[in-house]
Amino acid sequence: MKKILLYLMLLIVASATTFAQDSRPALPQGNPFPSLSSMKGVETVFLGKAMLKLAGSMNIGVPDIGNIIDSIDCLGVYEISSKRAGEEAEKQVTSFAKEHSLEIMMSTHEDDESMTMYGLPEEDGTLRMILLINQEENETDIIYINGRISPSEISKIANLN
């Protein structure tokens, strides 16, 4: 998890220098990988705008959490412990990234672990979407964030720990 936060911090620098393409297909407002949710060995959490808005209005002791959450339209987290489901997840993420013209913001590989972070940068330096897939030998994790996320909000998210 610490590596993911480090990658999010590095994304701040990358988002300031990258620009999006003009014509892109619309991003889904719902679960982008519904078939993964029904596979054995897959745990998912998906939060839509209404739930995020409710969570943002709660006093949970985190400064500016409402402002951060207001910028997010939906959030999905997938934890995959099945090798077969992990392979299917990788195919679906790659296909989704290609279909929606996502850019590889960062990619790392070390021993049996790899991480790829896709993004959809806007001309004003914000990100329209973040899609992260982290693969280890026996586990795959996916984080999907759809919204308009500024570099300062990414920094706040990374500093929540």
Side-chain angles (χ1 to χ4, degrees):
M1 187 54 108
K2 288 182 181 183
K3 282 185 179 182
I4 292 172
L5 293 176
L6 173 65
Y7 299 141
L8 286 174
M9 290 300 293
L10 291 173
L11 180 62
I12 294 169
V13 175
S15 68
T17 60
T18 315
F19 296 98
Q21 299 174 1
D22 291 333
S23 59
R24 301 179 293 244
L27 292 169
Q29 294 301 306
N31 184 345
F33 309 111
S35 64
L36 290 180
S37 299
S38 62
M39 293 182 82
K40 186 175 181 170
V42 178
E43 294 179 33
T44 63
V45 175
F46 182 81
L47 303 174
K49 186 70 172 175
M51 186 61 172
L52 288 166
K53 188 173 183 177
L54 177 65
S57 67
M58 294 177 177
N59 183 2
I60 58 173
V62 179
D64 295 328
I65 193 72
N67 293 334
I68 295 169
I69 290 177
D70 283 345
S71 66
I72 299 173
D73 295 329
C74 60
L75 169 73
V77 179
Y78 306 78
E79 186 174 307
I80 304 163
S81 59
S82 159
K83 185 172 178 113
R84 184 175 123 342
E87 291 168 352
E88 178 60 27
E90 181 180 17
K91 289 178 191 173
Q92 287 190 30
V93 166
T94 302
S95 175
F96 182 90
K98 188 177 284 190
E99 177 184 341
H100 294 284
S101 303
L102 304 183
E103 296 181 22
I104 294 178
M105 304 296 287
M106 182 183 319
S107 182
T108 65
H109 182 80
E110 180 182 337
D111 298 326
D112 291 336
E113 184 176 352
S114 65
M115 186 283 305
T116 303
M117 180 183 296
Y118 297 93
L120 196 54
E122 298 288 338
E123 290 185 19
D124 63 0
T126 62
L127 286 171
R128 179 68 186 100
M129 198 221 83
I130 297 172
L131 177 60
L132 184 137
I133 182 167
N134 187 64
Q135 297 173 292
E136 297 177 20
E137 186 175 346
N138 296 314
E139 185 175 309
T140 300
D141 300 303
I142 299 171
I143 299 173
Y144 172 79
I145 303 171
N146 186 349
R148 283 188 66 83
I149 305 150
S150 71
S152 66
E153 289 162 342
I154 293 169
S155 178
K156 289 176 189 174
I157 292 167
N159 290 321
L160 287 179
N161 286 351

